[in-house]
Amino acid sequence: MNTEHTPLVESVLQADQLFFAWPNRPLFKALSFSIPPGLSLIQGDDGCGKSSLIRLMAGDLVPDSGSLSIHGTRLDEQHSAYRQQVFWIDPQTEAHDAISAAGYLESLSQHDPRFNNEALADLVAGFALEPHLKKPMYMLSAGSKRKVWLSAAFAAGTPLTLIDQPFAALDAPSMRFLTELLQEAASHPSRTWVIADYEAPAGVALASVIKL
């Protein structure tokens, strides 16, 4: 693993000496990195641990040892406070299948004052989600579900936003729109987006790259 980053920028996320293993499969050993504002990439092939690292950053998985912190708030010491600074949703989740896409997005708006409803309206339009908002999530295609998760992610307003394989299952217009969103994220002065994917998105400046 190696990390490339822009020097002399205060980090949003700090990892120190992370160890993590699945049963009979060590994955990360003494993994340390810092991630500055803007857009960062976790890059690697299938099975290298991209999704596992995203889940560790989210607090969805617990490292065997080591620490993760966001602006000094450590996951192992202040779990709830850490998680409140992160937006992450498993793109394969079925937890919200029974509610509509609109219901899911409204629930985020009601529970987090940072959620940007004005931005959400633009995201729904950009991803052409309007015809699908009243449908229950289980009726949506993989691509439409992905658009709902992405709309939530870019409206969330959290210091750290995590997205696993953002371009998966998207149609060409949505991929172009997503690229524009990532370009905007890349220039943000204080918030951080981390994506996990096989390769860097074309035409987007990266603040750091973690190669697994």
Side-chain angles (χ1 to χ4, degrees), residues 5 11 18 40 43 50 53 91 118 132 137 205:
H5 64 90
S11 64
L18 290 182
S40 291
Q43 184 176 16
K50 298 187 303 297
L53 184 51
E118 183 176 338
H132 305 292
M137 293 293 292

Side-chain angles (χ1 to χ4, degrees), residues 11-14 57-59 68-75 77-88 111-112 114 153 156-162 190-194:
S11 64
V12 173
L13 175 68
Q14 185 79 38
M57 291 177 178
L68 284 156
S69 60
I70 299 175
H71 293 311
T73 301
R74 283 181 50 147
L75 175 61
E77 296 176 347
Q78 298 172 277
H79 186 269
S80 294
Y82 179 100
R83 290 290 297 266
Q84 288 170 7
Q85 298 185 73
V86 182
F87 179 87
W88 150 254
H111 288 94
D112 192 339
R114 296 168 300 189
T158 48
L160 176 63
T161 297
L162 305 169
S190 59
R191 292 177 56 204
T192 294
W193 286 258
V194 178

Side-chain angles (χ1 to χ4, degrees), residues 172-195:
S174 293
M175 292 177 72
R176 289 193 292 271
F177 180 59
L178 175 57
T179 299
E180 294 174 4
L181 295 173
L182 294 175
Q183 289 170 337
E184 293 177 10
S187 62
H188 200 283
S190 59
R191 292 177 56 204
T192 294
W193 286 258
V194 178
I195 60 173

Side-chain angles (χ1 to χ4, degrees), residues 87 89 101 104-105 108 115-117 119-130 133 143-157 161 163 170 174 177-178 181 191 193:
F87 179 87
I89 187 163
Y104 167 71
L105 294 168
L108 297 178
F115 194 84
N116 189 331
N117 285 296
L120 179 62
D122 293 336
L123 291 159
V124 166
F127 283 121
L129 270 176
E130 186 66 38
L133 287 179
S144 293
K145 273 189 175 182
R146 179 78 56 166
K147 295 175 190 179
V148 175
W149 309 147
L150 288 168
S151 295
F154 283 96
T161 297
I163 309 174
L170 293 184
S174 293
F177 180 59
L178 175 57
L181 295 173
R191 292 177 56 204
W193 286 258

